[in-house]
């Protein structure tokens, strides 16, 4: 089990970098955020970011990335669900998914499917 004092690790796919200098510039900007330790890799187009404490949030990191002119690529996942017996089940599942950091979900009882938009790589540890 984790608690609020545990560091939050982000492994974010970054789009828009055209050279190694872009990665260096983004890394410098991210490391200026309070409580942030970042490493940006141009070749893999990924940023590894650790957030310690509550000084900076995931939203702060994403905003800083956007401000420098890059983007964090969102992904969409479609899930087939079983066991739902009513619209209320779908509403509860959607609420649980949207309680996760930076997740937007739509759960449809009629089709037994969920569409989940998220920023990959967000997790504790």
């Amino acid at each position: 089990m984790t608690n609020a004092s545990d560091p939050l690790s982000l492994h974010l796919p970054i789009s828009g970098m055209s050279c190694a200098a872009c990665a260096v510039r983004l890394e410098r900007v991210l490391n200026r955020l309070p409580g942030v330790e970042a490493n940006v890799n141009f070749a893999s187009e990924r940023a590894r970011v650790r957030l310690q404490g509550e000084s900076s949030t995931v939203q702060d990191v994403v905003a800083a990335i956007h401000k420098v002119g890059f983007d964090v690529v969102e992904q969409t996942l479609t899930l087939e669900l079983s066991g739902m017996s009513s619209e209320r089940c779908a509403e509860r599942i959607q609420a649980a998914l949207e309680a996760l950091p930076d997740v937007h979900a739509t759960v449809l009882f009629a089709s037994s499917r969920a569409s989940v938009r998220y920023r990959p790589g967000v997790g504790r540890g």
Side-chain angles (χ1 to χ4, degrees):
M1 183 166 191
T2 62
N3 63 50
S5 66
D6 290 339
L8 179 66
S9 294
L10 309 173
H11 303 277
L12 304 172
I14 306 294
S15 67
M17 294 189 294
S18 59
C19 63
C22 293
V24 170
R25 187 175 76 216
L26 178 56
E27 185 172 295
R28 191 176 307 126
V29 166
L30 292 175
N31 281 316
R32 287 184 190 143
L33 294 172
V36 171
E37 180 183 318
N39 180 283
V40 180
N41 186 305
F42 170 66
S44 67
E45 297 182 306
R46 297 189 73 76
R48 295 175 140 265
V49 180
R50 284 177 52 93
L51 300 175
Q52 184 65 52
E54 297 179 11
S55 301
S56 295
T57 65
V58 173
Q59 292 78 13
D60 295 332
V61 169
V62 171
I65 292 168
H66 287 154
K67 187 174 182 179
V68 179
F70 307 116
D71 198 13
V72 177
V73 181
E74 281 190 337
Q75 295 186 352
T76 301
L77 178 64
T78 300
L79 304 170
E80 291 190 34
L81 306 173
S82 63
M84 290 191 296
S85 59
S86 68
E87 281 288 339
R88 182 69 184 128
C89 291
E91 291 169 4
R92 287 195 321 255
I93 293 168
Q94 183 169 321
L97 288 169
E98 290 196 333
L100 297 169
D102 211 12
V103 170
H104 306 283
T106 302
V107 179
L108 300 173
F109 172 66
S111 65
S112 296
R113 290 185 183 205
S115 176
V116 183
R117 252 186 328 120
Y118 67 100
R119 296 197 191 279
V122 178
R124 287 262 173 206

